[in-house]
Amino acid sequence: MADPSSFAPPSRIVVAGASLAGLSAAKRLRQLGYSGDLVLIGDEPYPPYDRPPLSKQVLTRRLSTDTTLPQPRDLDIDWRLGVAARGVDLTARRIDLANGDALDYDRLLIATGTRARPWPKPDEASIDGVLTLRGRDDADRLVPRLAASPGRVLIIGGGFIGCELASCCREMGLAVTIVESERVPMRRALGERIGAFMAGVIRDHGVDLRLGAMVERIEADNAGAVAAVMLKDGKRIGCDLIIVALGAVRNVEWLEGLGLLTSARGLRCDAFCRALRANESPAPGVFAAGDVAHWPLVANDGHLVTVEHWGNAVEQARMAAHNMLAGDITGMRIHQHLPDFWSSQFGLNIKCVGLADSAEEMAIAQGSVEGRRFLAVFGRKGRTIAALSINSARWLPAYRALIEEGAPFPPIEGAVDQPRMRKEAAGFASIDT
Ligand SMILES: Cc1cc2nc3c(=O)[nH]c(=O)nc-3n(C[C@H](O)[C@H](O)[C@H](O)COP(=O)(O)OP(=O)(O)OC[C@H]3O[C@@H](n4cnc5c(N)ncnc54)[C@H](O)[C@@H]3O)c2cc1C
């Protein structure tokens, strides 16, 4: 049965999660002429800030830990900061806050993102000198520790954040070890071949990169400060600071048992950004965007994805804002953004469009790997699905267009400035996508 109240223009929109997606939605709502109440609830005490610099310029103190995102003066937001949303009544259209307040809503956007996955053994995770990095408070703890010149920093996890952290450490002249269980770093996003290339770059910069290795135990000294890690193979590595960089956990626990479809992969929503109930029908008036959302990506044959990238948080939030004001489905638009991300580390500028992790094949399409300036293309079922540039982003827009139009793989062959292309296995095969 259609929900008659969803056709009424909203007079109060509540956003749970006051970060990049939350702010992007708020800005878009006002741009679209929404003039009703707009409430942003955030459990952190800060106005929305930018996270990417926290693992880059902030650690080397080229930027302060205050990376507040710019916002227009006239947003007219009722800010509820430093207080968590703790439940939703889907029938009454009411959200409950941890301080006992309750707010009625006509539309609700859930943008509660993710948090850093902690070290799984709580007694070891609480040792002095074992840190994670997700937010501004984490950076506030980490910056002085790094500035105090620890003898060795040990990073558990060689994903993007772990490698960016290692890059900062080397820039600061610190000895650093990465312990990564995969055969290459950043394999989940880059695949085997590019990951192997990155391993070479990382080692050339003086990082002690331990691949195929796992931390078994974290040890403290007599004063209770971190002293070493014990690897599964029995090797012991002494260190004074440990950064756990094991990826992210989605902030959905507060929604469990309320009728919404949640899992470790996030809050399920449809391509219109509408949050789904357990029976997969849209929850009236409830939308989701950003890192917390688990949604069908048109460019990925409609397979469900979670995308933890800055660009998607902005675009999905803007689409959710549009659809929150659209009235009914006939006015709504599909979120069909092609995911992209960037990283800077070890003097390299890495950019990617599309989701490479479901690729079967790859090829170097421009530049040369030896010259550390190239563009790789990724294909699946004969189609080009992603392109990744290393210090050569100028080629990316052309490849983005080809991916969007579903070009064959490889997309451009025989151009005068191209290397001879050789298709290779993409190296994601054993990854559960
Ligand atoms: C260190 C770091 C570096 C990164 N670098 C890059 C990069 O180089 N390139 C790139 O593309 N992306 C990068 N990202 C990813 C990018 O920052 C995220 O995709 C983006 O922040 C997602 O925004 P979001 O608003 O969806 O979620 P988040 O930024 O996670 O915000 C969610 C907010 O909701 C709050 N919240 C959680 N639960 C509740 C609750 N119950 N009630 C109220 N509030 C709640 C959280 O505390 C948080 O403030 C990086 C992320 C990190 C952490």
Side-chain angles (χ1 to χ4, degrees), residues 19-21 43-44 51 55-56 85 112 134 290-291 309-310 342:
S19 183
L20 181 63
D43 62 359
E44 296 185 85
R51 294 180 200 274
S55 55
K56 304 176 184 75
T112 46
R134 174 78 200 172
D291 283 14
H309 302 327
W310 198 96
W342 78 95

Side-chain angles (χ1 to χ4, degrees), residues 237-251:
I237 308 173
C239 54
D240 312 289
L241 181 63
I242 292 179
I243 311 170
V244 178
L246 291 173
V249 181
R250 292 183 172 79
N251 291 319

Side-chain angles (χ1 to χ4, degrees), residues 23-346:
L23 178 64
S24 303
K27 289 200 299 199
R28 188 69 184 143
L29 285 166
R30 292 303 190 211
Q31 276 170 2
L32 291 171
Y34 172 68
S35 58
D37 291 351
L38 184 52
V39 185
L40 254 76
I41 304 164
D43 62 359
E44 296 185 85
Y46 313 109
Y49 60 85
D50 212 14
R51 294 180 200 274
L54 299 183
S55 55
K56 304 176 184 75
Q57 302 90 331
V58 165
L59 297 184
T60 51
R61 293 197 290 180
R62 272 177 285 151
L63 284 180
S64 85
T65 53
D66 179 358
T67 57
T68 304
L69 286 161
Q71 50 174 283
R73 283 215 190 110
D74 53 359
L75 281 183
D76 191 17
I77 290 175
D78 174 359
W79 293 99
R80 308 290 178 102
L81 297 178
V83 56
R86 72 163 181 213
V88 184
D89 183 331
L90 296 178
T91 311
R93 293 196 180 212
R94 198 187 56 235
I95 181 162
D96 296 320
L97 276 57
N99 64 2
D101 286 355
L103 294 164
D104 294 332
Y105 63 80
D106 297 307
R107 303 283 184 274
L108 170 65
L109 177 66
I110 295 171
T112 46
T114 63
R115 61 184 183 277
R117 186 183 301 283
W119 179 245
K121 299 178 187 168
D123 52 330
E124 295 176 9
S126 61
I127 293 173
D128 179 31
V130 179
L131 304 180
T132 53
L133 177 61
R134 174 78 200 172
R136 186 169 158 177
D137 289 342
D138 301 321
D140 277 328
R141 281 186 281 270
L142 195 46
V143 167
R145 295 269 189 170
L146 292 174
S149 297
R152 177 164 296 275
V153 180
L154 187 132
I155 297 167
I156 307 180
F160 271 101
I161 290 186
C163 292
E164 288 177 359
L165 285 164
S167 172
C168 291
C169 290
R170 291 307 299 140
E171 214 178 299
M172 297 168 78
L174 301 174
V176 56
T177 297
I178 298 177
V179 180
E180 164 60 49
S181 60
E182 293 272 6
R183 289 190 299 267
V184 298
M186 296 171 278
R187 177 164 185 252
R188 197 161 270 277
L190 302 182
E192 196 89 35
R193 168 83 198 276
I194 310 291
F197 160 78
M198 285 307 300
V201 171
I202 291 168
R203 286 194 169 122
D204 284 354
H205 280 78
V207 176
D208 171 28
L209 177 62
R210 309 282 182 108
L211 296 171
M214 284 181 87
V215 173
E216 170 77 28
R217 197 171 67 240
I218 299 175
E219 296 177 352
D221 62 17
N222 291 338
V226 78
V229 298
M230 199 59 137
L231 302 185
K232 275 225 158 81
D233 64 7
K235 291 193 185 100
R236 188 174 185 275
I237 308 173
C239 54
D240 312 289
L241 181 63
I242 292 179
I243 311 170
V244 178
L246 291 173
V249 181
R250 292 183 172 79
N251 291 319
V252 291
E253 293 84 350
W254 70 284
L255 298 168
E256 277 164 12
L258 303 176
L260 289 167
L261 196 49
T262 60
S263 72
R265 301 204 67 187
L267 169 59
R268 267 295 307 280
C269 57
D270 64 12
F272 299 105
C273 314
R274 297 181 298 179
L276 301 184
R277 292 184 280 204
N279 63 4
E280 302 203 16
S281 68
V286 186
F287 293 75
D291 283 14
V292 77
H294 185 207
W295 49 286
L297 174 63
V298 176
N300 200 19
D301 298 334
H303 290 304
L304 293 173
V305 295
T306 43
V307 176
E308 293 174 34
H309 302 327
W310 198 96
N312 180 64
V314 172
E315 293 304 324
Q316 198 170 22
R318 286 168 60 85
M319 193 57 81
H322 175 275
N323 290 348
M324 281 194 279
L325 300 180
D328 69 3
I329 196 161
T330 56
M332 292 188 187
R333 293 193 198 139
I334 287 180
H335 174 56
Q336 49 185 342
H337 163 76
L338 186 66
D340 53 10
F341 71 84
W342 78 95
S343 171
S344 49
Q345 48 180 284
F346 302 103

